[in-house]
Amino acid sequence: MKLERTPKGLYSPEFRAEAVKLIEKTGLSVDRAAKQLSIPKSSLGNWVRAAKKGQLAEVGKGQGLPSEQELELGKLRKELAEVKQERDLLKNLRRISRRSRGEIRPD
C-alpha cells in the first residue's frame, strides 16, 4: 500500500485513517510503519492512540492546507539547501585537490 505524503507534515484525515489501518491489518510496529510511510513515528503513534480512543477524526482539525506560496517557498528552501550543500562539497574537493598538488593557499 503506497500513500502519498503531503508537504509540511499536513495529512488528510483519509491518510491518517489508512496509516492506522496499515498498522492494525499488518501488525507492523509504529516505528516500522512510520518508516515505510516516510512520516514521523511520533505522529503515527499519536494517530494510533487517538484511533483507539475513537478520536482520530479530531486529530489535525486546527491545521489548514498550505497556500501555493507556502508550497513554493518550501520547495525553494529545499532547493537552496541542496545547492549550498553541493557548493560546500565542491569547495572542500577544491581544497583537497590543491593540497595534493602541493599548492597551499589560505582560504
Side-chain angles (χ1 to χ4, degrees):
M1 180 185 312
K2 182 82 171 159
L3 301 174
E4 277 298 312
R5 181 171 178 201
T6 306
K8 295 180 83 175
L10 299 175
Y11 306 98
S12 69
E14 296 82 16
F15 179 87
R16 290 185 193 107
E18 287 297 317
V20 170
K21 281 182 194 173
L22 175 68
I23 291 175
E24 291 171 350
K25 286 183 180 179
T26 63
L28 286 175
S29 68
V30 171
D31 188 41
R32 190 151 171 92
K35 285 179 184 174
Q36 279 188 350
L37 297 171
S38 300
I39 59 175
K41 67 180 177 182
S42 59
S43 294
L44 186 53
N46 290 338
W47 302 344
V48 170
R49 282 189 296 280
K52 286 180 182 176
K53 293 178 185 176
Q55 298 174 342
L56 184 59
E58 304 302 316
V59 175
K61 285 266 183 177
Q63 292 179 332
L65 291 176
S67 68
E68 282 187 40
Q69 287 178 332
E70 290 172 325
L71 290 172
E72 181 68 16
L73 181 59
K75 178 181 166 190
L76 291 172
R77 284 181 175 160
K78 181 179 178 182
E79 187 177 327
L80 178 60
E82 290 172 357
V83 168
K84 283 182 175 181
Q85 194 174 27
E86 290 172 3
R87 178 203 61 200
D88 292 344
L89 177 66
L90 290 172
K91 276 185 180 180
N92 289 335
L93 288 174
R94 199 168 130 205
R95 285 185 193 132
I96 292 169
S97 176
R98 276 196 214 129
R99 288 184 190 137
S100 67
R101 290 183 296 191
E103 296 177 28
I104 300 176
R105 193 178 107 199
D107 288 319

